[in-house]
Amino acid sequence: MTEFDLIEALRARVNLRRDDVALGIGDDAAVLDVPPGTQLVACTDTMVEGVHFLEGTDAADLGWKSLAVNLSDLAAMGAEPAWALLALTLPEADSKFVEGFGQGFAELAARHRVALVGGDTTQGPLSVTVTALGTVLRGTALTRGGARIGDAVFVTGTLGDGAGALHLIRDSGPGTRDPDKQAALRSQSTLFQRMHRPEPRVAVGLALRGIASACIDVSDGLLADLGHVCTASGVAAELDLDAVPVSAELRAQFDGAACLEFAMTGGDDYELCFTAPAERESAIAAALAQAGCHATRIGRIVAGAGVRVLDANGGRIDTPNVGWEHFSR
Amino acid sequence: MTEFDLIEALRARVNLRRDDVALGIGDDAAVLDVPPGTQLVACTDTMVEGVHFLEGTDAADLGWKSLAVNLSDLAAMGAEPAWALLALTLPEADSKFVEGFGQGFAELAARHRVALVGGDTTQGPLSVTVTALGTVLRGTALTRGGARIGDAVFVTGTLGDGAGALHLIRDSGPGTRDPDKQAALRSQSTLFQRMHRPEPRVAVGLALRGIASACIDVSDGLLADLGHVCTASGVAAELDLDAVPVSAELRAQFDGAACLEFAMTGGDDYELCFTAPAERESAIAAALAQAGCHATRIGRIVAGAGVRVLDANGGRIDTPNVGWEHFSR
């Protein structure tokens, strides 16, 4: 199977049409119509086997997730996704893998009306690089740099499920590269759905334009990502540990300390962490309800630098050193 | 060295500023101003160690070439390059490699005023995926699909140098992964410059807008790439073997048959192959002279399908079967 055939197989799978694609796959480059009055928003993200996903990961899950992590970045900008380019490197031309990959990719692409407009399939160690392109009305992009002292800090959904799922897989001992074993584990817990098929918060990002002062997606872990917002905004944040939202599924599988560790540092969540003036809380709740989502207020922006974690009494927790054992609910 | 540091090191190297970058590296995504009246042109290309480049390839050469192959695709569309995103996967955080890579990338980026606006550095087997973004005035993109019966076929520069260089390296026996050996070989012939530092024909692509009826860059080999034009345009091409331009450097290193084989099937040339009405030949020569380049007329578009190669007497050569021995000049 040649490179051209692989691209054709993907094109057949990922066949969403958009009027703004003047020229799609099949030429040297795609030609795209960016709507007047908008700005282009662009990001790229690579997933490497053995680093970002386990050997034996289902091809359809990989197709989904490779697009999801990029749409999550667009969501964090408040952008509307439009187009994607896919660079897929495979050890061998494997039409079954390509079909599965294309199916997962196409499923998420259809949900967000993303057209695949370009690609490159190459031979080599398994990895996927997706470039996602979207648009925002001029000047409305959400950035990391807009948090102001006095703003409240929010996060959507719950945190830590993806990290919990990874822990369960690793804990299950040797043989985790076996697709059957991965499938069996998956059937046991919804945590695996969160790990393999994260839902990028695109509608939330769109709803937050004009409301949020800063926004980031939680991919590295809440502490790290909120830290990026603080650095970019020149402020500090106080985080109320008790307020950090954790799912019932995660609590059912792990003790409180582990739940907190996953939620605070696990990453792979693809929720949005954002800041907004505290008085906008009810407007936020209404906007997010429209987007089918809930956000939790977890802290506030203060003067200084870095992220401080506070216990239920407002006492400061020295996060990197003590772990979460003493603070688990 | 963390991912963040690697991106910072690259950002420091590749520091070209453009007014149309509203938000560059450092947020979840870049925000870019696409000029009114233009269309966005986007492409992506991956290079994998051991597949697209040899182990031991100089980091700066790799930085240059990973951008060059993408700018060549933009050139084939007649697009003006503007922005690039870089996904760099490295076996280990190697600041010396990143510095070299960034230097080569930056050198070519500066030449074409390309701003690096996004990136992802990950750990894994060495590979590079660049996404290049540019613009064309609405409706002016050159495509593969516009060749018409009666058009002449042209190619810029000379063909086969890159393939010749690769042959010299492979022919030099074991040890070709050794950077010192590669450097020694390189000093012997300008062919290696063509292989490692191809010059994307950006100015030519811009000059050909409104003149060329179809255009493609020669990356897979002249026969294959002209074949793509024929397929997309629903036509056939006749190629005059004697007219195919080969450099004096290549002739000095190889016999005529090898030169023709490299030129016709070698690929890795990054010249532009284009079609235009035959009566535009002098306009083409003038436009290309402005762009500092020369094009050779190598054939014509006819009815049918596929590419036919003709000898000096107009006799048809059955290309895949006979090789080039009998037709070498």
Side-chain angles (χ1 to χ4, degrees), chain A residues 166-250:
Chain A
L166 185 62
H167 191 90
L168 287 178
I169 290 175
R170 289 198 171 138
D171 226 35
S172 73
T176 51
R177 294 174 176 187
D178 177 358
D180 292 338
K181 184 155 185 182
Q182 287 193 30
L185 274 169
R186 186 167 178 165
S187 68
Q188 290 166 25
S189 169
T190 56
L191 299 183
F192 293 100
Q193 185 71 11
R194 292 289 308 275
M195 176 189 178
H196 290 301
R197 298 257 176 159
E199 293 278 358
R201 295 292 194 184
V202 172
V204 175
L206 292 169
L208 287 175
R209 291 182 298 183
I211 300 178
S213 54
C215 189
I216 192 168
D217 77 320
V218 182
S219 52
D220 296 341
L222 178 62
L223 278 181
D225 289 314
L226 183 54
H228 295 325
V229 169
C230 289
T231 303
S233 300
V235 296
E238 287 178 353
L239 210 51
D240 301 323
L241 192 60
D242 270 9
V244 173
V246 175
S247 73
E249 295 90 330
L250 194 66

Side-chain angles (χ1 to χ4, degrees), chain A residues 7 32 71 76 85 98 106 119 143 153 175 178 190 195-196 205 213 223 227 232 248 262 299 305 312 324-325 327:
Chain A
I7 294 174
L32 307 165
L71 296 189
L85 299 101
V98 169
T143 72
V153 179
D178 177 358
T190 56
M195 176 189 178
H196 290 301
S213 54
L223 278 181
F262 296 149
W324 309 102
E325 288 73 9
F327 310 98

Side-chain angles (χ1 to χ4, degrees), chain A residues 32-33 40 46 120 131 138, chain B residues 32-33 40 46 120 131 138:
Chain A
L32 307 165
D33 290 317
L40 179 69
T46 299
D120 188 24
T131 300
R138 186 171 309 282
Chain B
L32 307 166
D33 290 316
L40 180 68
T46 299
D120 187 25
T131 300
R138 185 171 309 281

Side-chain angles (χ1 to χ4, degrees), chain B residues 141-196:
Chain B
L142 304 173
T143 72
R144 299 178 179 183
R148 296 290 168 262
I149 295 166
D151 281 355
V153 179
F154 300 86
V155 70
T156 58
T158 60
L159 300 177
D161 283 358
L166 185 61
H167 190 90
L168 287 179
I169 290 175
R170 290 199 170 137
D171 226 35
S172 73
T176 51
R177 294 174 176 185
D178 177 358
D180 291 338
K181 183 155 184 182
Q182 287 193 30
L185 274 169
R186 186 168 179 164
S187 68
Q188 291 166 26
S189 169
T190 56
L191 299 183
F192 293 101
Q193 183 72 11
R194 290 289 309 273
M195 176 188 177
H196 290 300

Side-chain angles (χ1 to χ4, degrees), chain A residues 238-242 300 308-312 314-317:
Chain A
E238 287 178 353
L239 210 51
D240 301 323
L241 192 60
D242 270 9
R300 66 210 65 81
R308 299 166 213 151
V309 181
L310 305 184
D311 64 21
R316 185 166 170 182
I317 300 168

